[in-house]
Amino acid sequence: MKFREFLKENMVYLDGGMGTLLQERGLKPGEYPERWNITHSDVITEIHRAYYCAGSNVVSTNTFGANVLKFTEEELDTIVKAAVGNAYAAKASVEEDVPRFVALDIGPTGKLLKPLGDLDFEDAVEVFAKTIRLGVKYGVDLIFIETMNDSYETKAALLAAKENSDLPVLVSNAYGEDGKLMTGATPAAMVAMLEGMGADAIGANCSLGPRQLRGVVEELLQKASVPVILKPNAGLPRAVDGKTVFDVTPDDFALEVASLMKEGVRVVGGCCGTTPAYIEALHSETAQYRPKPVEIKNITVISSYTHEVEFDTTPVLIGERINPTGKKRFKQALLENDIDYILAEGVNQQEKGVHVLDVNVGLPDIDETVMLKNAVCELQTVTNLPLQIDTADVTAMEAALRRYNGKAMINSVNGKQESLETVFPLVKKYGGLVVALTLDENGIPATAEGRVKVAEKILATAETYGISKKDIIFDTLAMTVSADNSAALATLGALRTIKTQLGCHTSLGVSNVSFGLPARDAINSVFFALALENGLSAAIMNPYSVDMMKTYYAYKALKGMDENCAAYIDKAGEFQSLQVKVDGATDIAVSGQMGKSATEIQLSVEAQASQLQYAITKGRKEKAGDLTRELLLSMQPLDIVNGEIIPALNIMGKGFEEKTVYLPQLLQSAEAAKSAFEAIKSHMSGSEKTADKGTFVIATVHGDIHDIGKNIVKLLLENYGYHVVDLGKDVPPEEILQKVVELHAPLVGLSALMTTTVPAMEETIRMLKKQAPWCKVVVGGAVLTQEYADKIGADKYAKDAMEGVRFAEAVTNI
Amino acid sequence: MSQVIFVKTYEEPIFCEREILRYAGCKKADVGMEALLKECIEEAREKLTYKVCYIELPVTIEEHTCDFDVFRVQSEKLTRYLRVCDRAVVFAATVGVEMDRLIAKYSRLSPSKALFFQALGAERIEALCDRFCEDMATQFGQKALSRFSPGYGDLPLSCQKDIFSVLDCERKIGLTLNDSLLMSPTKSVTAFMGIGGDDGPHIHKCSACDMKNCAFRGML
């Protein structure tokens, strides 16, 4: 019998702990248990055999840490071969009274993935793939990915399993006392991602005893449409006479696990501290249980690395601002590879209350695949919102989906054959909720009926790819009402039919409806309300629009989705103050200067100017931006920069050097100056460029992941007018050299925090001196000294960020 | 002697604002700085965890080698530190990955806040280690216990590998070691803690350290 068949109809008993048993038999702390497959193959086989005899249907090979990070490829091959051999030897030695299987055990790599650690996602996939290929080669029946405490690493392992075998894959995570993974994911978020990628069963193991895992298991049971696994520890360890003893006995363990089997857990076993006695107790306690059928939940859901967002009765807001269409400043940011600008858009929208961020970075002159992948990865370092990957380029779509940590929303597929054939395989492989546009080769049907027909075709095709209806969300296409008076009606009609008759969720890019009309917010927000009333599940919208947000909260309050109108009341104050600000800004623009004499105007401008200096020195970010925008109505940008911003920066820089200003104060004023510059940039966007004193390439060296010092230097340099090319952290020497040569950059700044990474700095300098002799290198970081800097051949050691700025000025003034 | 790796989770240690400001390079704080600091503490505190895993090992000393039975370390300074001890607690502590997330996020959005989170993280992990040391002092019936970390004096960072393989840090507390021997999450500490002798060994935090140009030297 194949494992998948067995899993369908039966309770599955896995095995118990291995590590504690090996310690009892002499394994030393720090010794690799995987080597015992070869050196103590009799011991390993005996343990497997004991589990089979105790009632296990599945034993896992002793390969928890068997990967190429710990062993050479040759040794890994021998270890996996021996491990699988030991399990099969055990299987052969017991009676064939029940179906028995051998699972390839896959534990975590022991490394944290980038950006928080130093293992690249693709490298992690390859590490897992190497072990999995060996397991497949030596004939395991299934793959058991376990004890993963990071969602991203779990994804890498599952992807490797799917790409290298057709075997069933069980995936189990280690949840903490807070009911989440170490890196923050909830059980529901894990179900969303793992089910999307096609895991055969999902569950929890290790870290805690069965009682403490109850909450996690209940959440898994509530969300999962595949069997749920529970493989807990025997409670917590304590030492008795130098031996590890766990505080839950086999009988208590059996009772606890049994009660969760009654609630629906289908795959059970034990982890640390459990022995064949635990499995035997569990088996005899539950031998008469009938497996509870797994319910198909039909939950439409996406997830990030921390949480899930469900599409249910409460409408979901998708922020539309990460998109260059019609935004000069955004286009400029993309062309300059200014990721920070994109990140700020993400965080700002999150603060406005959206639930998902749409990410569209398509522009004719850039490599969209690289940009989209980077944007998705970087956004996931500053926001935990799920993302909607928005692109027409399937290569870019796949690159982004692959790297995305969670189950993404995908924008979009449509009824055209080519689109269906290229996008659906990606949805199937990586998981995702895909937005389906109701158009096909014949264009956008003019009527609601026509659009519903396209939707039906899309659903039928999805089924052939094994993509369920719940993972498709229809966009019935908001068309401009100014071009066709019946446009909104067709959209709304199709929306209603798809929701009520096809039973699918819907989404709309709301703002499209008002193209070409004045006062667009009014049209948008009423259309939004109408769409919600016709069953809209999600809107791609502008969260900065007060009208849209008002509509959203008012709608929820009116539809009984906002208990005591609490959310509405909470937001009302914000709406009012925003309205005042908007009106106020108009006053200044329209009438601010009217009825005043020339001198009065001049005086007020001067007062504002010194206010700007004051705001910057005091580090008032918002104020500095607002004042600059006001000044731009009457002053030349360059005069503001030279007359106000630079003097303010100089005051602070000098103060810092004289030790009257501390680093945090210097940084706050630098941030305020940055927001003033940002206002100027938006104002000038597309026309001329701001002053550029030269290109400064900056990086934290290979092996080092500390970048706060580097970021501080970057901020100050930008304020002083340098074009800073930030290569990030952990950057190989070759990459730095390549960029310097490509840009013929006159200046390079290198940062290192640890003594262990100074050699990488030295190597970088050596390469630069040889192949880019024109360029001056300035170094900094906690471990560096003047002496050290001289030794490794740097042109300058800067003890702090200001010294770096001064050096840059000295070099570029020559 | 037991071979058990224990895991402890502590309650939030009391915040020392002066210490955080010191780490941030701020000798005197104005109202703005204090407000920013409070904001950072509030944003971080719900996200931090305080976890330690440790094992007790026998120690024998031969010249400049400390033999912990399951691994050996060459270091004159460590042998000097442990010379009165017959056992040592080897531990790893971390305040978790969320601190790194905050630092990474704000280093892109607001370096001044990133600086404060960095300082806050440094203060938090030290506070956790202090708390753990007090705890161990009580457990082993000693007045106070000091700690000695890889990177102090001549104790090489390479012994991190031994510590990690013995403590199973990844599984126990989610702490990993990078190829360059840095730890992720970064706000983490590994150390040896000598047990035995009349009152355990003592070191002054700065005297064992070779970082002569350290901005904080003598300030502890």
Side-chain angles (χ1 to χ4, degrees), chain A residues 433-712:
Chain A
L433 169 63
V434 64
V435 178
L437 310 180
T438 53
L439 62 88
D440 62 12
E441 284 83 358
N442 303 315
I444 301 169
T447 61
E449 297 72 37
R451 293 183 204 179
V452 174
K453 273 217 169 66
V454 176
E456 284 167 340
K457 179 176 96 181
I458 293 173
L459 278 181
T461 315
E463 212 179 324
T464 65
Y465 284 89
I467 297 166
S468 121
K469 189 163 101 170
K470 73 178 169 61
D471 282 328
I472 297 182
I473 179 165
F474 285 101
D475 183 333
T476 57
L477 300 161
M479 308 298 290
T480 55
V481 72
S482 63
D484 171 4
N485 268 184
S486 63
L489 292 174
T491 309
L492 296 171
L495 198 71
R496 193 171 50 243
T497 310
I498 287 174
K499 183 85 170 195
T500 53
Q501 289 179 24
L502 302 187
C504 286
H505 286 286
T506 54
S507 164
L508 276 180
V510 176
S511 317
N512 296 344
V513 76
S514 62
F515 266 131
L517 286 175
R520 291 181 60 185
D521 269 2
I523 297 281
N524 289 347
S525 56
V526 174
F527 180 62
F528 182 32
L530 288 171
L532 288 170
E533 191 52 15
N534 278 282
L536 185 70
S537 324
I540 306 178
M541 46 77 74
N542 176 8
Y544 305 144
S545 161
V546 177
D547 287 337
M548 287 294 284
M549 296 308 273
K550 273 182 179 167
T551 303
Y552 176 74
Y553 286 100
Y555 180 84
K556 274 181 40 176
L558 292 169
K559 295 289 281 192
M561 298 172 185
D562 181 5
E563 205 174 328
N564 301 327
C565 302
Y568 181 80
I569 293 166
D570 193 39
K571 283 281 167 181
E574 194 183 309
F575 294 148
Q576 274 161 4
S577 71
L578 279 171
Q579 202 55 55
V580 170
K581 208 170 165 184
V582 170
D583 296 344
T586 325
D587 287 347
I588 290 168
V590 178
S591 64
Q593 306 295 352
M594 282 183 188
K596 288 184 185 170
S597 73
T599 344
E600 269 174 336
I601 291 173
Q602 193 52 39
L603 276 175
S604 78
V605 168
E606 269 172 26
Q608 275 175 7
S610 64
Q611 268 181 41
L612 174 58
Q613 267 200 44
Y614 183 77
I616 292 173
T617 55
K618 286 290 157 198
R620 310 239 162 95
K621 243 197 250 192
E622 264 186 51
K623 183 91 182 156
D626 289 346
L627 284 169
T628 308
R629 274 182 283 278
E630 285 172 29
L631 283 175
L632 282 165
L633 298 171
S634 56
M635 270 174 88
Q636 286 303 312
L638 210 61
D639 294 338
I640 302 176
V641 174
N642 291 331
E644 305 304 326
I645 304 178
I646 295 287
L649 285 172
N650 282 340
I651 293 169
M652 297 305 283
K654 227 165 148 245
F656 178 72
E657 284 160 337
E658 287 164 0
K659 298 197 165 62
T660 54
V661 168
Y662 299 123
L663 184 56
Q665 294 165 317
L666 178 73
L667 289 179
Q668 281 197 308
S669 68
E671 284 165 31
K674 191 177 172 178
S675 103
F677 277 123
E678 185 52 47
I680 290 173
K681 246 184 173 171
S682 299
H683 179 80
M684 293 169 58
S685 196
S687 53
E688 67 226 274
K689 283 192 113 186
T690 37
D692 183 358
K693 288 198 207 159
T695 300
F696 204 120
V697 174
I698 192 167
T700 299
V701 299
H702 196 43
D704 210 322
I705 52 163
H706 296 84
D707 63 354
I708 184 162
K710 183 211 71 193
N711 290 331
I712 289 170

Side-chain angles (χ1 to χ4, degrees), chain A residues 225-519:
Chain A
S225 301
V226 295
V228 168
I229 309 161
L230 173 60
K231 201 172 183 286
N233 288 349
L236 296 170
R238 63 202 155 85
V240 175
D241 301 330
K243 287 220 171 81
T244 314
V245 180
F246 284 79
D247 65 2
V248 178
T249 63
D251 289 342
D252 291 344
F253 180 87
L255 287 174
E256 290 283 349
V257 176
S259 77
L260 285 162
M261 288 165 82
K262 276 189 188 147
E263 289 185 34
V265 172
R266 291 280 300 272
V267 183
V268 291
C271 203
C272 304
T274 61
T275 62
Y278 286 74
I279 302 302
E280 199 173 345
L282 177 60
H283 192 258
S284 56
E285 176 69 32
T286 60
Q288 304 307 317
Y289 283 20
R290 305 290 310 157
K292 206 172 158 186
V294 177
E295 270 174 62
I296 303 301
K297 311 292 192 302
N298 272 323
I299 300 170
T300 294
V301 65
I302 54 174
S303 68
S304 68
Y305 55 87
T306 56
H307 66 282
E308 71 290 356
V309 169
E310 277 188 27
F311 294 70
D312 196 7
T313 46
T314 306
V316 171
L317 298 180
I318 305 169
E320 69 177 12
R321 302 296 297 174
I322 302 180
N323 190 323
T325 313
K327 301 188 197 87
K328 270 190 196 159
R329 178 64 189 95
F330 198 97
K331 282 182 186 157
Q332 188 190 354
L334 282 179
L335 290 171
E336 291 172 2
N337 199 20
D338 181 0
I339 295 262
D340 288 1
Y341 183 86
I342 298 172
L343 301 186
E345 278 290 0
V347 172
N348 291 340
Q349 291 184 87
Q350 179 168 22
E351 279 166 9
K352 289 287 171 209
V354 301
H355 310 107
V356 181
L357 296 173
D358 183 81
V359 186
N360 182 322
V361 293
L363 209 58
D365 299 328
I366 63 162
D367 183 343
E368 192 182 346
T369 301
V370 172
M371 182 53 94
L372 187 61
K373 188 178 90 176
N374 288 348
V376 162
C377 292
E378 298 268 12
L379 275 164
Q380 289 206 294
T381 66
V382 299
T383 169
N384 65 349
L385 291 184
L387 302 180
Q388 167 162 282
I389 291 162
D390 181 359
T391 176
D393 177 340
V394 281
T395 315
M397 186 185 280
E398 172 155 27
L401 279 176
R402 203 175 163 86
R403 288 279 175 153
Y404 179 73
N405 189 355
K407 178 185 179 188
M409 201 160 168
I410 304 167
N411 190 3
S412 56
V413 70
N414 62 54
K416 291 180 188 167
Q417 208 53 36
E418 193 202 342
S419 171
L420 295 168
E421 283 170 7
T422 50
V423 174
F424 277 157
L426 300 182
V427 179
K428 182 67 189 163
K429 179 171 181 184
Y430 298 102
L433 169 63
V434 64
V435 178
L437 310 180
T438 53
L439 62 88
D440 62 12
E441 284 83 358
N442 303 315
I444 301 169
T447 61
E449 297 72 37
R451 293 183 204 179
V452 174
K453 273 217 169 66
V454 176
E456 284 167 340
K457 179 176 96 181
I458 293 173
L459 278 181
T461 315
E463 212 179 324
T464 65
Y465 284 89
I467 297 166
S468 121
K469 189 163 101 170
K470 73 178 169 61
D471 282 328
I472 297 182
I473 179 165
F474 285 101
D475 183 333
T476 57
L477 300 161
M479 308 298 290
T480 55
V481 72
S482 63
D484 171 4
N485 268 184
S486 63
L489 292 174
T491 309
L492 296 171
L495 198 71
R496 193 171 50 243
T497 310
I498 287 174
K499 183 85 170 195
T500 53
Q501 289 179 24
L502 302 187
C504 286
H505 286 286
T506 54
S507 164
L508 276 180
V510 176
S511 317
N512 296 344
V513 76
S514 62
F515 266 131
L517 286 175

Side-chain angles (χ1 to χ4, degrees), chain A residues 35-48:
Chain A
R35 290 205 170 109
W36 276 43
N37 286 310
I38 300 160
T39 56
H40 298 71
S41 90
D42 53 334
V43 174
I44 305 295
T45 306
E46 186 46 43
I47 293 174
H48 288 325

